[in-house]
Amino acid sequence: MIKLFFALLIVGMMVGCDNCCGPKNEAPVEKALAAPVDKEAAPAEKAPEAAPAANPKERILTEKNSKQTIEIKSGDQIKIRLNANATTGYSWKMSLAEGNDKVVSLSEENYIVPKAQDPPLAGAPGVAEYTITAKAPGSATVSGVYYRPWEKPAPGDQRVEFQIKVQ
């Protein structure tokens, strides 16, 4: 029994030594360490500037346009681009005020990842993009909150609100 124990001990030491000693033929593997997310640091990180609109007449709203009234014509589209970081667990929850779906429609989120970087950055922020399409004359309120979906929105969570006036 003692001989078996020592044999296993020696084999284990040889295997352990093989992992820490001697030349390596493998390329090094980079390890990404995730920092814990602090609720106080909930505001979305600043993402790289969004790519210019493909259509020069396309209107793009950001957090800076929150609380403003935006006038558009029926049939027009505008995009909302909000800084976000999906790797933190936070995401934007956008919604229309009750009854506003007759005036405008709001698309599902399109998450835009940062452009490829060398080396790639784990946890790099991106952009959450939504499209608003004007359907009929009237006014609509589009609002959003940046929070973790498994938690209830809190008063300190980042919020946006856009007043849309369709002519």
Side-chain angles (χ1 to χ4, degrees):
M1 185 70 161
I2 294 176
K3 290 181 182 180
L4 179 62
F5 173 75
F6 282 114
L8 290 174
L9 181 64
I10 291 172
V11 169
M13 289 180 8
M14 290 171 55
V15 169
C17 185
D18 186 80
N19 287 335
C20 65
C21 303
K24 294 285 184 190
N25 293 332
E26 303 171 5
V29 177
E30 293 187 18
K31 296 180 182 177
L33 300 176
V37 177
D38 181 14
K39 181 69 176 179
E40 297 299 318
E45 298 176 33
K46 181 157 171 92
E49 289 298 316
N55 178 354
K57 292 186 178 183
E58 184 177 60
R59 293 189 59 188
I60 298 174
L61 306 178
T62 66
E63 290 95 333
K64 294 176 185 175
N65 302 108
S66 184
K67 304 290 185 195
Q68 294 179 359
T69 299
I70 313 301
E71 294 185 6
I72 60 176
K73 295 179 182 174
S74 186
D76 286 356
Q77 289 188 334
I78 54 177
K79 297 208 182 277
I80 297 175
R81 291 187 181 158
L82 304 171
N83 293 322
N85 190 336
T87 65
T88 64
Y90 285 86
S91 62
W92 284 100
K93 169 69 174 161
M94 300 298 290
S95 61
L96 295 172
E98 189 173 333
N100 287 181
D101 57 345
K102 294 178 177 107
V103 178
V104 298
S105 65
L106 177 65
S107 73
E108 295 292 317
E109 177 183 297
N110 175 30
Y111 188 76
I112 302 169
V113 295
K115 292 181 182 176
Q117 298 173 345
D118 190 26
L121 295 175
V127 175
E129 181 182 76
Y130 300 86
T131 302
I132 298 174
T133 304
K135 293 166 50 175
S139 294
T141 301
V142 180
S143 58
V145 60
Y146 189 66
Y147 75 113
R148 292 178 175 142
W150 61 88
E151 297 175 344
K152 292 181 179 178
D157 290 336
Q158 186 177 353
R159 296 173 190 273
V160 292
E161 184 176 285
F162 305 96
Q163 303 297 323
I164 310 297
K165 189 173 184 179
V166 180
Q167 301 171 347

